[in-house]
Amino acid sequence: NAGVTQTPKFQVLKTGQSMTLQCAQDMNHEYMSWYRQDPGMGLRLIHYSVGAGITDQGEVPNGYNVSRSTTEDFPLRLLSAAPSQTSVYFCASSYPGNTEAFFGQGTRLTVV
Amino acid sequence: GENVEQHPSTLSVQEGDSAVIKCTYSDSASNYFPWYKQELGKRPQLIIDIRSNVGEKKDQRIAVTLNKTAKHFSLHITETQPEDSAVYFCAAKGGAGSYQLTFGKGTKLSVIP
């Protein structure tokens, strides 16, 4: 089992560029989510999905899009990168209910 | 929505001493409270969790307590070791139908040998 796999691990973007952060899980988890982690701010929810075809906004959704066409994949799109989006991004997945969330290894994104 | 406050933001203890991290939450419907440990440059990993029908849970040197009336929960680490040094996050998940985990801002624990 690979668990939750994120790519890339590191990325540098110029302001205004777009890109997609990839997230895949092989545990057949229904629930997937994206967080960003900034110093002193903890983990803040960007978007989440409760199943294929269903997505919703979290606490900090502006500037990001998501889609969920399969159970396994949940990509995060930055439409027009801004320096404020410099952060570490984590994807997570879990079964419904009160169960453990498994995190990917993270993507460190720098926008210059 | 849910709001989780975590204290302290940093904590230094001598090896062998105990460490306590406290969190409060705002949504009385929240019913699941996990704790995650994140080592430097690594992903967060679950170390212990507690559900709202339980007041305390232990796993070797770590324990979590929950006070639903006061809406706070705490992580206790006894006999701390240098490998316990990390950032610890508490989180809360809302009631039935809620999927979202809301995290505290984290506590950086340093265990001094």
Side-chain angles (χ1 to χ4, degrees), chain A residues 32-34 45-48 56-58 61 64-66 74 76:
Chain A
M32 297 185 74
S33 52
W34 277 100
L45 183 65
I46 304 171
H47 285 285
Y48 66 96
D56 207 347
Q57 296 181 353
Y64 308 95
N65 273 359
V66 292
F74 190 44
L76 178 73

Side-chain angles (χ1 to χ4, degrees), chain A residues 19-81:
Chain A
M19 79 159 294
T20 299
L21 307 185
Q22 301 291 344
C23 176
Q25 53 91 9
D26 61 359
M27 296 174 282
N28 203 32
H29 286 164
E30 293 181 27
Y31 183 68
M32 297 185 74
S33 52
W34 277 100
Y35 294 88
R36 61 177 289 172
Q37 184 175 29
D38 302 294
M41 297 298 292
L43 293 152
R44 292 184 293 169
L45 183 65
I46 304 171
H47 285 285
Y48 66 96
S49 169
V50 301
I54 306 169
T55 63
D56 207 347
Q57 296 181 353
E59 179 186 357
V60 289
N62 292 342
Y64 308 95
N65 273 359
V66 292
S67 60
R68 183 100 178 266
S69 56
T70 67
T71 299
E72 295 78 18
D73 301 298
F74 190 44
L76 178 73
R77 297 182 188 86
L78 280 71
L79 307 174
S80 178

Side-chain angles (χ1 to χ4, degrees), chain B residues 50-68:
Chain B
I50 191 167
R51 291 162 178 80
S52 59
N53 58 345
V54 176
E56 183 176 3
K57 183 177 178 180
K58 290 183 179 180
D59 183 2
Q60 299 182 349
R61 295 186 298 108
I62 61 173
V64 58
T65 58
L66 172 65
N67 183 326
K68 287 191 65 180

Side-chain angles (χ1 to χ4, degrees), chain A residues 31 37 48 97-98 101 103-104, chain B residues 36 38 43 51 93 99-100:
Chain A
Y31 183 68
Q37 184 175 29
Y48 66 96
N98 298 332
F103 285 82
Chain B
Y36 284 82
Q38 186 180 31
R43 72 190 80 189
R51 291 162 178 80
K93 180 183 278 190
Y99 295 86
Q100 300 180 46

